[in-house]
Amino acid sequence: MFTRVEPAVHGALDFAELERLGIQPDEVLDFSVNSNPFGPSPAVRAAIAAAPLDRYPDRESLALRRALAERLGCLSEQILVGNGTAELIWLAAFANLAAGDQALILGPTFGEYERSIQIMKASAQNLNASVASSFQPNIPEIDQKLDSTNFQVVFLCNPNNPTGQVLSIETIGAWADAHPETLFIVDEAYLAFVGGMESALQLRRVNILVLRSMTKDYALAGLRLGYAVGDEQVIQKLTAIRPPWNVNALAQAAGLAALNDETHQQVTLAQLQEEKHLLLEGLTALEFAPLPSRTQFFLIPVENGATFRKGLLRQAILVRDCASFGLPRHVRISPRKHAENLRLLETLKKLGVR
Ligand SMILES: Cc1ncc(COP(=O)(O)O)c(C=O)c1O
């Protein structure tokens, strides 16, 4: 039976909307997507240019999985590469949920978790951190929730989108130990943006599946690339149901080249942290009150997120209206390059929006 599931709302350019507004996509400064704004390493561009277009890609992404396994200190059999982390979120839900199962989402967070649960006709429970605590997760409340229900799956995003809050791996490990029948899916898409953050991979628990994105930190949004790391049997379940040739040759080549130029990532992400601080200062000077975040992106309270976004978009500047996260009075901003951040600040000053 066909299940009707509404699409999740995401940041990034909506090309149809821009066409309606008569704005060219190339004109838009996009602060709504949480990517590395400095672009990919030149080595990535070279690798893409050299990738064969007329041959099917390696269906197992072997070279990339081996390179990742070496860096992560695990077996390549513990890794599945995906066409973006979004594909892996879906595969994780498809492989581990059935109609009637219970799944928990620690929110407010990325919309595809709930959507993947709905597709499986499982039941999604959301436990949201509150604005009053600047969206810091309420650990005792989560403990209680986990004890109250036999969840098949728990989705948690660490660091979290859109709040930039972080859970310690000790907390995640304690949950995994207390609930051995539950699979904890830990989305670490933004881990690289938080200096020195520990990964749940270190816990090496069979009931923790870690998802990572190379789309964001290596600036590959036009290609999209992600991987899942976990227990061999859990990975096998996802692998068994993935679409054939799910990762194209350009993305595989780009991923390998990106891994081989870690300096580019380190230098650009350090620069991005500096830009974040300057942008926060500029916004504070304009009497905005950005919320604390460990990631490069952060939330700011506004009178009306949708109106705020629309006003800026008419000036070819895009921010993320957070209504879909249940936060209609917040927008999310991810810093860009210096001159672009200055343009955002100048535009906000000129428009006088709140
Ligand atoms: C938390 C989170 N996970 C996964 C994704 C999807 O990443 P990808 O583009 O690699 O599919 C996003 C994208 O916005 C995200 O915010």
Side-chain angles (χ1 to χ4, degrees), residues 57-101:
D58 172 7
R59 70 191 79 175
E60 306 294 343
S61 300
L62 254 182
L64 182 54
R65 279 172 47 224
R66 285 182 181 143
L68 286 166
E70 199 185 308
R71 276 163 183 79
L72 301 172
C74 66
L75 302 172
S76 59
E77 289 79 7
Q78 291 177 270
I79 300 177
L80 172 64
V81 181
N83 179 23
T85 311
E87 180 182 55
L88 299 163
I89 292 168
W90 280 36
L91 291 178
F94 296 175
N96 292 288
L97 286 171
D101 282 347

Side-chain angles (χ1 to χ4, degrees), residues 102-120:
Q102 296 288 332
L104 178 65
I105 300 169
L106 302 186
T109 194
F110 189 55
E112 292 300 330
Y113 309 140
E114 180 152 7
R115 195 153 166 255
S116 66
I117 296 166
Q118 287 170 348
I119 292 171
M120 295 314 291

Side-chain angles (χ1 to χ4, degrees), residues 10-11 33-34 82-89 109-110 112-113 157-161 187-190 211-216 220-221 224-226 297 325 332:
H10 295 297
V33 62
N34 305 323
N83 179 23
T85 311
E87 180 182 55
L88 299 163
I89 292 168
T109 194
F110 189 55
E112 292 300 330
Y113 309 140
C157 184
N158 201 37
N160 187 41
N161 171 16
D187 184 344
E188 295 186 340
Y190 299 109
L211 307 182
R212 293 265 183 88
S213 179
M214 296 181 72
T215 305
K216 319 283 184 183
L220 302 176
R224 306 200 29 262
L225 187 63
F297 55 84
F325 295 110
R332 190 193 65 206

Side-chain angles (χ1 to χ4, degrees), residues 36 91 167:
N36 180 344
L91 291 178
L167 279 163

